[in-house]
Amino acid sequence: MPGKTADERAALDAQNEIMLARFVEAGFRHIAPSILQPADLFLDRSGEDIRTRTFVFTDPAGRELCLRPDLTLPTCRYHLERAERPDAEARYCYCGPAFRYQPGGADRMHPQEFVQVGVEWFAAGDREACEADVLALAIGAVEAAGLRGYRVRLGDLALFNALIDSIPMPARWRARLKHQFWRPKAFRALMERLAGQIGETHDPAEPLLESIDGHGLERAEAVVEEVLEQEGIPLVGGRSVTEIATRLHERASDRREAPLTAAQIALVEQYLAIDGAPAEALGAMRSLGADGSEAFSLAVESLARRFALAGERGLPCADYRFSAEFGRNLEYYTGTVFQIEVKAATGWVPVAGGGRYDGLMGGIGSPVSVPAVGCAIHTERLRAAVEDGNG
């Protein structure tokens, strides 16, 4: 994209000021996080989609930096550096540039440099109420900017995690399933392996697994070191002997575990197939949870309260759509997620989105747990949508 004319910049600035003013009026403090950020934080915490689209470079001192691809993580860093206590309630809003490489080429809906307006709310007391507030703030902001033709998609990763936790299986299997939630093909393949549905194939590591099976991790490390030395194989990809041995030890242990049953697989598939209006989705989940765990039932009722609170804030939740598979493309989300989308030539495109990310602060250095929820608006895309007739 060649840039903007003065009139185009003025129109975008005016739109963004309208939305930012609403956030400030709602009690969020306007801050300006740094544009340059440590690259490893984004590459480790933001998920595959962002990793492959982040502009990364090395400064003269040899430090790996990046142009921020969004403002959530920079706001978390700002809070950790400035707040007297990380777990003290704080509300921030921002308006500033973000940068993402566009592999298909930049255009009006997919610029490489764009402005984000958003809010981040840390350590709020009432989880469902602040989530309903953030959803209402995001929708109110885009409507104040002139958006009319849009749809809202909803999801909740806490429900998926609670369901997986309710199924008897080794803890390492649960961790793998949760890790693959954002990768549908890999998730399906993993489910088939855990259910013993993949046919017997020759495994080159079978002799190693046999020698490790039934022994502790120390034995696995000794076997790996011996093989590497005998074969003259160098360590590659930054993986240590301990990491390789741990994975082999897990694979050897997996062979002695009972596979997931057909009923357990069906339960997960029934949950992931839930897709419809909130009332329909709640009914389907309550049916699933009738014989399930207390944690899953509590997560369902938490979602129901969130819908009720959103309705009290004037949002037409009956018109929204809940999808159990919807988790957006940022892997730091841990609970409710939402996306505001508009119809474009290439299909439905998000102009805003957000959700709960309770684990992110701890992942970047907070010594205490800090619950968090927020949203971000892609202002260039919003402007284009309004100009294209969605206003």
Side-chain angles (χ1 to χ4, degrees), residues 22-351:
R22 292 179 71 94
F23 296 155
V24 171
E25 185 179 355
F28 291 78
R29 183 157 64 90
H30 186 193
I31 64 170
S34 298
I35 292 176
L36 295 181
Q37 295 286 326
D40 60 332
L41 292 181
F42 279 96
L43 301 182
D44 293 343
R45 300 291 167 186
S46 295
E48 183 176 356
D49 179 69
I50 296 300
R51 281 196 295 271
T52 59
R53 298 170 59 197
T54 299
F55 290 98
V56 179
F57 59 94
T58 303
D59 72 8
R63 294 169 298 189
E64 196 172 49
L65 303 175
C66 71
L67 298 174
R68 62 188 185 196
D70 74 18
L71 275 79
T72 295
L73 203 151
T75 302
C76 291
R77 294 188 65 232
Y78 177 97
H79 178 70
L80 286 179
E81 292 171 2
R82 300 296 187 95
E84 291 186 10
R85 288 178 37 234
D87 56 349
E89 183 174 2
R91 306 183 192 186
Y92 302 107
C93 61
Y94 48 76
C95 176
F99 308 84
R100 293 185 192 178
Y101 170 69
Q102 300 294 346
D107 56 36
R108 291 172 70 238
M109 282 292 189
H110 304 88
Q112 295 194 129
E113 177 182 347
F114 57 96
V115 176
Q116 271 192 352
V117 171
V119 300
E120 311 297 341
W121 191 345
F122 302 127
D126 188 325
R127 296 172 62 87
E128 292 91 355
C130 75
E131 290 165 2
D133 284 338
V134 168
L135 176 60
L137 278 169
I139 291 175
V142 297
E143 287 187 348
L147 188 67
R148 294 295 178 266
Y150 64 87
R151 72 177 187 184
V152 177
R153 295 179 66 202
L154 305 167
D156 193 333
L157 277 73
L159 283 163
F160 171 77
N161 291 338
L163 182 73
I164 295 299
D165 288 342
S166 74
I167 300 174
M169 69 177 80
R172 62 183 179 275
W173 290 10
R174 291 196 184 99
R176 290 180 210 164
L177 287 168
K178 292 175 183 179
H179 178 70
Q180 298 294 3
F181 174 81
W182 291 271
R183 307 167 186 87
K185 290 183 179 179
F187 181 87
R188 168 61 60 185
L190 177 58
M191 288 279 286
E192 291 176 348
R193 283 199 299 274
L194 298 182
Q197 296 173 9
I198 294 180
E200 293 294 329
T201 58
H202 173 66
D203 188 344
E206 186 63 29
L208 282 177
L209 298 179
E210 287 286 351
S211 64
I212 290 170
D213 196 7
H215 299 279
L217 183 57
E218 289 184 2
R219 165 66 176 168
E221 290 181 348
V223 169
V224 170
E225 289 177 344
E226 181 181 347
V227 170
L228 292 175
E229 183 177 352
Q230 288 180 350
E231 302 296 331
I233 302 173
L235 289 172
V236 295
R239 298 180 67 193
S240 67
V241 168
T242 299
E243 289 172 327
I244 296 171
T246 299
R247 183 69 189 103
L248 287 171
H249 188 263
E250 289 180 351
R251 287 174 60 187
S253 300
D254 286 348
R255 303 188 312 169
R256 291 182 282 109
E257 299 286 355
L260 295 181
T261 67
Q264 291 168 337
I265 295 293
L267 180 65
V268 176
E269 291 177 339
Q270 288 168 27
Y271 171 73
L272 292 176
I274 294 174
D275 188 337
E280 297 171 358
L282 285 172
M285 285 184 281
R286 284 172 175 146
S287 296
L288 280 183
D291 299 319
S293 72
E294 181 181 4
F296 181 74
S297 296
L298 288 174
V300 173
E301 296 315 309
S302 173
L303 180 65
R305 181 170 183 258
R306 195 177 307 124
F307 289 149
L309 290 171
E312 292 175 7
R313 286 151 177 76
L315 300 181
C317 288
D319 297 335
Y320 302 160
R321 192 168 194 88
F322 179 92
S323 173
E325 285 196 304
F326 175 55
R328 299 197 68 223
N329 56 4
L330 295 178
E331 297 182 19
Y332 52 65
Y333 284 107
T334 59
T336 180
V337 286
F338 69 87
Q339 202 158 268
I340 303 169
E341 304 172 341
V342 296
K343 190 68 175 293
T346 55
W348 288 94
V349 177
V351 297

Side-chain angles (χ1 to χ4, degrees), residues 3-25:
K4 296 180 176 64
T5 67
D7 288 344
E8 289 170 339
R9 171 54 64 185
L12 183 65
D13 290 345
Q15 167 197 273
N16 297 346
E17 283 297 325
I18 290 172
M19 296 189 291
L20 190 63
R22 292 179 71 94
F23 296 155
V24 171
E25 185 179 355

